[in-house]
């Protein structure tokens, strides 16, 4: 059974929620999936004991989490040596013109500066969780939402995540990992 490490960092929990859905789908596809929060356990993860990696990170104020970026920077050679997949979670992905990997500037900016080269990337819209923000964050995000045409109603939370898109990402990852396993198990032809 292929062992897959699911590595993430989140602030209010939406990236973790997405990753738990991915974990369930990977297990249903026949993989052994283990979840790690790199913000809490980055030094204790033995990456060499895994066959593949799925990483996810949220964006806040235009940047992926610092500890996540440091983790990738420290481990990019291992991540590049095995199948690895990445998803970014941000509120700008709620807009059609920012909802794909090729048109999401936060994802593109991150990919341009990291030495890690994931086999597949995607971007998912996160959640606007006013109820979980401290006063400063609530006011700052409310201003950003006002400037970008988002909800400024702090009395309700809004989930923008497209779960069908998450499901498609999972199916694609599972297919690629299964193809990788099949290719490795096919007998090498003999020369006569």
């Amino acid at each position: 059974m292929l062992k897959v490490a699911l590595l993430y960092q989140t602030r209010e929990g939406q990236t973790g929620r997405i990753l738990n859905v991915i974990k369930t789908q990977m297990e249903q596809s026949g993989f052994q999936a283990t979840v790690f929060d790199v913000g809490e356990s980055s030094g204790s993860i033995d990456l060499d004991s895994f066959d593949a990696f799925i990483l996810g990170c949220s964006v806040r104020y235009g940047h992926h989490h610092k500890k996540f970026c440091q983790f990738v920077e420290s481990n990019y050679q291992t991540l590049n040596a095995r199948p690895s997949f990445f998803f970014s979670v941000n509120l700008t992905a709620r807009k059609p013109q920012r909802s794909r990997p090729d048109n999401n500037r936060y994802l593109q900016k991150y990919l341009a500066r990291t030495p890690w080269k994931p086999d597949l990337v995607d971007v998912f819209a996160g959640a606007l969780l006013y109820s979980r923000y401290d006063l400063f964050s609530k006011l700052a995000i409310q201003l950003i939402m006002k400037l970008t045409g988002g909800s400024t109603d702090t009395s309700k939370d809004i989930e923008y995540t497209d779960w069908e898109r998450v499901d498609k990402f999972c199916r694609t990852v599972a297919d690629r990992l299964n193809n990788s396993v099949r290719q490795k198990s096919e007998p090498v032809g003999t020369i006569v």
Side-chain angles (χ1 to χ4, degrees):
M1 179 182 296
L2 208 63
K3 293 174 65 177
V4 181
L6 307 177
L7 307 143
Y8 78 104
Q9 191 165 11
T10 190
R11 188 159 320 237
E12 281 81 32
Q14 190 68 10
T15 304
R17 188 166 176 228
I18 292 168
L19 203 71
N20 282 320
V21 167
I22 292 171
K23 178 184 190 294
T24 299
Q25 292 200 20
M26 289 294 103
E27 290 172 342
Q28 290 172 351
S29 296
F31 303 104
Q32 181 181 338
T34 307
V35 174
F36 300 96
D37 180 337
V38 300
E40 296 176 5
S41 59
S42 64
S44 62
I45 304 169
D46 178 14
L47 295 181
D48 289 328
S49 64
F50 291 94
D51 303 301
F53 310 101
I54 301 172
L55 286 80
C57 187
S58 60
V59 171
R60 175 61 76 87
Y61 304 127
H63 302 282
H64 290 87
H65 295 277
K66 184 177 181 178
K67 284 185 180 180
F68 177 87
C69 295
Q70 290 169 341
F71 174 82
V72 170
E73 183 71 26
S74 297
N75 295 287
Y76 76 90
Q77 291 174 324
T78 302
L79 297 172
N80 283 338
R82 298 183 188 143
S84 64
F85 311 91
F86 176 57
F87 66 92
S88 176
V89 178
N90 58 71
L91 285 173
T92 61
R94 76 188 189 284
K95 296 181 167 194
Q97 68 271 24
R98 298 283 182 248
S99 65
R100 296 186 327 267
D102 65 319
N103 70 7
N104 188 277
R105 66 180 180 196
Y106 300 129
L107 175 60
Q108 289 302 314
K109 185 169 73 170
Y110 176 71
L111 292 173
R113 73 172 186 263
T114 182
W116 173 41
K117 304 302 174 206
D119 297 296
L120 175 71
V121 298
D122 210 337
V123 60
F124 305 131
L128 185 57
L129 303 174
Y130 282 118
S131 65
R132 296 187 190 175
Y133 304 148
D134 61 34
L135 180 60
F136 173 78
S137 295
K138 187 179 288 190
L139 292 172
I141 292 171
Q142 189 179 33
L143 175 62
I144 292 167
M145 288 295 111
K146 184 173 184 165
L147 295 172
T148 62
S151 174
T152 58
D153 181 355
T154 61
S155 69
K156 61 181 179 180
D157 294 341
I158 302 170
E159 182 179 81
Y160 293 105
T161 305
D162 179 346
W163 293 105
E164 288 180 23
R165 187 178 182 125
V166 173
D167 182 61
K168 182 180 177 187
F169 176 79
C170 292
R171 287 192 316 268
T172 303
V173 169
D175 288 346
R176 288 188 180 193
L177 291 175
N178 283 324
N179 287 337
S180 171
V181 169
R182 275 194 294 276
Q183 289 173 355
K184 287 181 181 178
S185 65
E186 289 177 359
V188 178
T190 56
I191 300 175
V192 183

